[in-house]
Amino acid sequence: MTQRLPPALTPLDTALAALLRGVDPIATIELPLTEAAGCIAAGTPPLAACPSCDIAAADGWALCANDIVGASAYSPLPLTTAPVWVDAGDAMPPGCDCVLYADAVEVSGPLAQVLAEGVPGQGVRRAGSDIAGRAPAVAEGHLIHPATLLLARTAGVEKLSVRQPRLGIVNVPGAALTAHMIAEIARAAGLQVQAREAAARDAASIAEALGDLTCDLTCDLVVTIGGSGAGRRDAAVSALARHGDVLAHGLALQPGRTAAVGRLGPVPIVALPGSPDHALAAWLALALPLVDRLSARQLRRRMTLPLARKIASSVGIAEIALLAEEHHAWLPLAVGEWPLQAIARADAWLLVPASHEGFAAGTPVDAYLMRE
């Protein structure tokens, strides 16, 4: 069956609003730290202070700074009691507030003398200096990254509460490269990914793969990859119409014009084009906001820099520009059509609204980072 795009393209904002309508954050789950990286935190418990007491930050002699004022190599200060040797990580002995290196104290039998002064806190890691008591590992709605896991492990936490949307992918034959790219991007974003491949490019085969996916798995969102255009062998949207509801097909978005959005029962679905650039653009403009809604994520990180050269855009079409950071400015790499090398080189992306003709050189623009 041949698909035909409507003569009037649906505005991106309209399609996105229809896709997000009725979508709420998913339930939280607990994951081991080894599986939580890249997920969105859902209220982590307060961590215990670390260190729990003052500890030595270096190997040496533990002393009280006030007791060794004036000590030097020219005027050694005898000690009335033997000093205590500590290794890095040992709890500081009572009454001691500094650690001197080995050659700062001479010990001869029962006699000891100090050859240098110390200051309170020298060679000491204070209680709570690494983790303040009652602080969470990461704020709710924020990304869990390796530094978050370091805090959790240091505090003895074994699991974190997260939201991890479950993504189902239906790959239409002929779009394997794009399917691999989207799956890898989704996993890096913390999604749980399950994939099915349609037996052929016809509507019946794609509809069967959609049915198998939704019957076998519990998905929070679904994407199809390939077959969303107007060619003779493009049938993904026809399959969606058989199995669910098509909310919009043919978007005022470049790249990504042939993408579609719909519903499989209560589950939102995005039909991505098979071309890598069009699929990635539709993923950024449509799927990412959906993922953020499902995971209750706070706003994604953006960076404001001036444009190294102008970006020209067509009024009436939302266009996505790929940007690279060069000399503290955003250098436009591609607008509308994206070579694969531009995708690989891009540091950020910028959505030029349909109401804009673009941006002049030197204009500060707020771009989303490709990799956080």
Side-chain angles (χ1 to χ4, degrees):
M1 177 182 294
T2 301
Q3 296 175 185
R4 299 191 183 280
L5 296 178
L9 299 176
T10 302
L12 175 61
D13 291 346
T14 301
L16 183 58
L19 182 66
L20 295 177
R21 190 172 297 118
V23 175
D24 296 316
I26 60 175
T28 64
I29 59 173
E30 284 198 339
L31 289 180
L33 300 187
T34 54
E35 300 176 19
C39 295
I40 302 302
T44 57
L47 304 179
C50 184
S52 58
C53 63
D54 290 354
I55 62 172
D59 302 340
W61 299 101
L63 296 161
C64 175
N66 285 340
D67 294 343
I68 56 175
V69 173
S72 70
Y74 300 102
S75 179
L77 179 67
L79 296 175
T80 57
T81 58
V84 178
W85 179 267
V86 291
D87 293 322
D90 288 347
M92 290 294 291
C96 296
D97 61 6
C98 66
V99 175
L100 301 187
Y101 291 120
D103 57 3
V105 177
E106 286 185 348
V107 178
S108 178
L111 302 177
Q113 56 183 2
V114 182
L115 309 179
E117 290 184 309
V119 295
Q122 177 180 333
V124 176
R125 190 180 294 276
R126 295 296 193 186
S129 59
D130 281 331
I131 301 175
R134 310 303 297 170
V138 59
E140 183 170 2
H142 286 263
L143 185 69
I144 296 173
H145 47 70
T148 304
L149 302 179
L150 172 64
L151 288 179
R153 290 190 177 99
T154 301
V157 174
E158 296 182 352
K159 294 183 177 182
L160 290 175
S161 180
V162 304
R163 287 187 174 90
Q164 186 184 43
R166 296 159 295 187
L167 170 66
I169 295 178
V170 171
N171 179 30
V172 177
L177 293 178
T178 302
H180 285 304
M181 177 188 71
I182 294 298
E184 288 156 3
I185 290 172
R187 291 191 180 98
L191 277 68
Q192 186 182 109
V193 179
Q194 296 286 345
R196 295 287 188 273
E197 181 162 0
R201 291 181 64 90
D202 60 273
S205 298
I206 299 171
E208 182 179 359
L210 283 171
D212 291 343
L213 183 74
T214 54
C215 288
D216 297 344
L217 303 170
T218 302
C219 299
D220 299 303
L221 68 156
V222 171
V223 299
T224 62
I225 300 175
S228 68
R232 294 180 178 180
R233 300 178 65 225
D234 290 325
V237 179
S238 298
L240 173 57
R242 291 187 185 186
H243 207 69
D245 297 310
V246 178
L247 301 176
H249 178 216
L251 309 181
L253 173 67
Q254 189 66 17
R257 183 173 67 98
T258 64
V261 297
R263 283 281 195 280
L264 289 173
V267 179
I269 181 170
V270 181
L272 301 178
S275 173
D277 58 336
H278 288 257
L280 179 57
W283 172 270
L284 295 174
L286 296 165
L288 270 193
L290 180 58
V291 170
D292 291 350
R293 175 72 62 84
L294 290 166
S295 57
R297 179 181 177 136
Q298 298 299 313
L299 294 178
R300 289 181 175 270
R301 186 182 169 199
R302 294 184 287 182
M303 182 182 294
T304 303
L305 292 174
L307 283 174
R309 62 171 183 250
K310 73 175 183 179
I311 292 177
S313 179
S314 302
V315 174
I317 301 289
E319 295 194 77
I320 300 181
L322 296 182
L323 311 172
E325 183 184 0
E326 286 193 4
H327 308 298
H328 306 293
W330 286 131
L331 174 66
L333 299 176
V335 182
E337 298 293 337
W338 300 349
L340 295 185
Q341 286 184 326
I343 294 175
R345 186 182 169 192
D347 296 315
W349 59 280
L350 173 69
L351 179 67
V352 183
S355 58
H356 284 51
E357 294 182 347
F359 301 99
T363 303
V365 295
D366 210 15
Y368 289 97
L369 301 183
M370 295 290 282
R371 294 166 288 276
E372 295 192 52

